[in-house]
Amino acid sequence: MKFIAYIFVLFLGIGCSSDKDAYVPISKNPKLEFTVPSNFPEPSYNIALNHPTEKGFELGKKLFYDGKLASDGVVSCGFCHIQDFAFTHHTHIVSHGVDGALGTRNAQPLHNLAFQNEFTWDGAAMHLDLQPIIPITAPVEMNETFASIIDKLGQDDTYVALFSEAFEDQKISADNILKALSQFMIMMISSDSKYDKIERNEGAVFNESEARGLTLFNTKCASCHQGTLFTDQSYHNNGLPIDPTYNDVGRKRITGLDTDLYKFKTPSLRNIEVTFPYMHDGRLRTLQDVLDHYSDGMVNSETLDPIFKQNNIVIGIPMSASEKEDIIAFLKTLTDDNFIADERFSEF
């Protein structure tokens, strides 16, 4: 809980700002259309409190790809979240920060964030507007302060104009920086995969292997990877052997509870085909490796999810080689090529 308290203290203590000159009426900054896909749940994010606008989205996108948010002027949000790979740090086991520093966790994909309840592998951020504080201020990531960022942006005429156009108070402030980033990320909806088209009865059909894979997925995987979002938004110990390099305690880092030791948030499986490597520390390179772990590689511990045990003996998820092939075939139907290529989110 100390970590969470630190985030909130930090957030509340960085309210310094730079005022702007020309006022632009809010009517000149129309709201963007935010549409919930028909097969999706309602958003967790209260859109009414920070509805994406043309200028807010433009500002958030510029901030997302700007190294000014880091102490070295190089590492941007987009540095570790690359669109071609559903906004993950492709091939990197853990995220890379300023001056070549290495983090301890794999960069998570960014999509459908408006529908998430908590963020990061251990749930350290309880609101999307707060999530960027963690990478921006982390010494091994962007290693910057909001006071410094505000100063840098205030010296840039383009940012002065954008903040003036995007927000009624016309200020470059921590609050507006975070809201702009959220407006950009809120619009990152991935809902046009083959699976979605089938779920919405839009004419697509599974082939035989994919159909078998869906059936197997529903019996073997869907208890944690639930619903259209493919996550129960909860935390589990899935039997990974302890890595002495990091010895990441997972959710316990936030709650302090021994019962949360080695528990990590269930990731969404959308676009899983392109978001490798896998697990919180990127230790598994392929989907085959992931399924092999669940069938044969799990280790027992006090907090191992009970679903993987029988009479306190690890049983994992029994799968044959052909069943794994079919499950992987199904997982590939969750790839949303239109989202990955959407120019609205691209840097250039």
Side-chain angles (χ1 to χ4, degrees):
M1 296 305 292
K2 290 182 179 179
F3 186 75
I4 295 175
Y6 167 74
I7 291 175
F8 276 92
V9 169
L10 177 65
F11 178 66
L12 293 172
I14 51 180
C16 49
S17 63
S18 174
D19 291 336
K20 310 304 166 292
D21 297 319
Y23 172 68
V24 178
I26 200 69
S27 60
K28 293 187 179 180
N29 183 26
K31 292 180 178 179
L32 297 178
E33 182 178 356
F34 178 86
T35 303
V36 178
S38 61
N39 57 324
F40 270 44
E42 287 301 306
S44 301
Y45 190 95
N46 190 339
I47 304 297
L49 296 180
N50 186 33
H51 198 292
T53 63
E54 286 187 4
K55 294 300 181 180
F57 179 88
E58 179 185 348
L59 173 59
K61 178 178 177 178
K62 184 173 176 60
L63 289 167
F64 185 87
Y65 288 110
D66 198 335
K68 285 188 177 72
L69 270 62
S71 61
D72 66 353
V74 175
V75 176
S76 65
C77 302
F79 182 84
C80 285
H81 297 281
I82 302 168
Q83 183 179 10
D84 289 347
F85 308 99
F87 294 96
T88 56
H89 206 180
H90 179 57
T91 73
H92 289 282
I93 295 174
V94 294
S95 59
H96 291 217
V98 298
D99 301 322
L102 292 178
T104 60
R105 291 177 178 173
N106 181 250
Q108 294 179 296
L110 303 180
H111 47 62
N112 303 329
L113 299 174
F115 303 89
Q116 296 291 320
N117 298 324
E118 295 172 335
F119 303 89
T120 76
W121 283 105
D122 55 20
M126 296 177 288
H127 194 284
L128 182 58
D129 292 358
L130 298 177
Q131 190 281 328
I133 296 174
I134 299 172
I136 287 173
T137 61
V140 295
E141 294 189 63
M142 300 167 83
N143 190 37
E144 189 54 291
T145 67
F146 277 84
S148 176
I149 293 170
I150 290 166
D151 181 64
K152 286 186 284 186
L153 300 183
Q155 297 178 46
D156 186 319
D157 290 342
T158 300
Y159 275 116
V160 170
L162 276 173
F163 276 91
S164 180
E165 293 168 345
F167 296 104
E168 289 186 273
D169 66 6
Q170 307 170 57
K171 294 181 178 180
I172 299 179
S173 64
D175 186 46
N176 286 343
I177 290 169
L178 295 168
K179 284 184 175 179
L181 286 169
S182 283
Q183 287 190 32
F184 178 62
M185 293 186 288
I186 285 167
M187 298 300 293
M188 290 180 171
I189 296 179
S190 179
S191 64
D192 201 27
S193 65
K194 181 176 183 178
Y195 171 85
D196 291 301
K197 294 172 182 177
I198 294 171
E199 191 173 46
R200 294 194 297 259
N201 297 312
E202 294 175 357
V205 293
F206 291 124
N207 63 34
E208 291 184 1
S209 179
E210 293 165 350
R212 291 193 301 268
L214 172 60
T215 299
L216 289 164
F217 179 88
N218 285 335
T219 59
K220 297 178 180 292
C221 313
S223 59
C224 293
H225 296 284
Q226 295 177 5
T228 300
L229 299 179
F230 291 90
T231 172
D232 60 1
Q233 303 207 47
S234 188
Y235 304 85
H236 303 274
N237 177 346
N238 65 345
L240 289 170
I242 297 173
D243 185 342
T245 303
Y246 304 120
N247 192 24
D248 194 327
V249 298
R251 179 71 170 162
K252 182 182 176 180
R253 186 171 75 104
I254 304 305
T255 66
L257 300 174
D258 289 340
T259 53
D260 284 332
L261 184 63
Y262 305 133
K263 291 184 179 180
F264 295 89
K265 188 177 181 184
T266 305
S268 170
L269 297 182
R270 286 183 170 274
N271 298 303
I272 194 71
E273 179 184 9
V274 299
T275 60
F276 55 91
Y278 305 108
M279 302 298 170
H280 68 276
D281 53 9
R283 70 174 69 189
L284 301 180
R285 297 179 59 188
T286 68
L287 290 174
Q288 182 70 46
D289 292 339
V290 173
L291 296 186
D292 288 347
H293 162 73
Y294 282 112
S295 65
D296 300 297
M298 302 179 72
V299 298
N300 202 356
S301 70
E302 289 294 323
T303 59
L304 178 66
D305 199 293
I307 197 172
F308 301 124
K309 294 194 283 189
Q310 192 173 83
N311 298 323
N312 204 37
I313 297 174
V314 178
I315 60 171
I317 304 176
M319 289 176 281
S320 67
S322 62
E323 287 176 330
K324 292 175 183 177
E325 290 178 4
D326 289 337
I327 291 173
I328 291 172
F330 166 70
L331 292 175
K332 289 181 178 181
T333 71
L334 304 179
T335 303
D336 183 352
D337 292 323
N338 290 332
F339 170 75
I340 292 169
D342 194 327
E343 293 184 355
R344 291 178 301 165
F345 310 121
S346 63
E347 182 174 7
F348 304 107

